[in-house]
Amino acid sequence: MHYWLMKSEPDEVSIDDLAAMPKKTIAWFGVRNYQARNFMRDQMKVGDLAFFYHSSCPAPGIAGIVRVNKAAYPDASQFDGKSPYFDPKATRAAPRWLNVDVTLVKKTRLISLSELRATPELETMRVLQRGNRLSITPVTSQEWKIVERMATRLA
DNA sequence: GCCAACGTTGGC
DNA sequence: GCCAACGTTGGC
């Protein structure tokens, strides 16, 4: 059982978009970074929990909690010539990119990036490290508990 | 729009 | 295999 933080641009898929999906479930497609892909391929298991993080937007921060409900499988968008995530070097016999499926557990209040940064116990969080750009990062169980507690409190 | 930081590409 | 150039991310 691992914990994660997964970034999404709310212009593409927001926490409310996820809540509106059938079964509140989506394929986490579009990851085009090997390290993030390898996390999904090698470490993510059905039942793992993740913070859903809004990035590249006016109010970046954690917006909810999701659960992995399907292990990594080939990302269909890599084969789609019309998709911005199309990869001409990927073939169906040798797919390059994978995604998991995630299901909404709950929407939380927005825990802003500045609030995360202002919490000394979260200094070690991977997503807060200088220069971090990974769209999927591991979260320790200690970090998870602290953020979960923050989520149930008012800002 | 700026820019720091990092990842990828490709020539050698 | 090195590394400069280029592209991308993502907060501000």
Side-chain angles (χ1 to χ4, degrees):
Chain A
M1 165 78 186
H2 287 110
Y3 296 105
W4 306 95
L5 181 142
M6 301 171 81
K7 296 182 190 173
S8 181
E9 300 189 12
D11 282 352
E12 295 193 16
V13 182
S14 71
I15 194 83
D16 291 324
D17 294 334
L18 173 56
M21 291 288 184
K23 299 184 181 174
K24 303 186 184 209
T25 295
I26 49 162
W28 202 266
F29 66 95
V31 171
R32 293 295 180 269
N33 169 282
Y34 290 104
Q35 221 180 326
R37 180 202 67 182
N38 294 349
F39 281 142
M40 289 196 284
R41 185 189 62 192
D42 303 333
Q43 295 187 43
M44 270 196 192
K45 299 285 189 292
V46 171
D48 278 8
L49 295 172
F51 292 125
F52 188 112
Y53 180 93
H54 283 172
S55 76
S56 290
C57 61
I62 289 170
I65 293 175
V66 297
R67 183 192 305 105
V68 175
N69 85 325
K70 187 173 178 184
Y73 62 97
D75 176 340
S77 65
Q78 71 193 302
F79 308 122
D80 177 359
K82 295 190 291 293
S83 166
Y85 298 111
F86 177 64
D87 183 343
K89 292 180 182 164
T91 65
R92 290 189 186 272
R96 272 194 176 188
W97 305 111
L98 305 172
N99 61 240
V100 297
D101 286 355
V102 303
T103 301
L104 182 67
V105 173
K106 64 174 176 181
K107 184 177 171 178
T108 63
R109 74 173 179 88
L110 186 84
I111 307 171
S112 70
L113 176 59
S114 57
E115 189 179 351
L116 294 171
R117 286 202 189 284
T119 305
E121 301 93 314
L122 297 178
E123 260 177 15
T124 55
M125 265 189 101
R126 188 85 173 264
V127 74
L128 302 181
Q129 301 310 302
R130 174 189 174 82
N132 165 77
R133 286 179 5 190
L134 264 186
S135 63
I136 298 177
T137 49
V139 171
T140 67
S141 54
Q142 292 90 335
E143 292 161 354
W144 182 271
K145 280 178 205 149
I146 291 161
V147 175
E148 229 186 2
R149 211 171 297 137
M150 289 165 74
T152 61
R153 268 204 315 263
L154 292 181

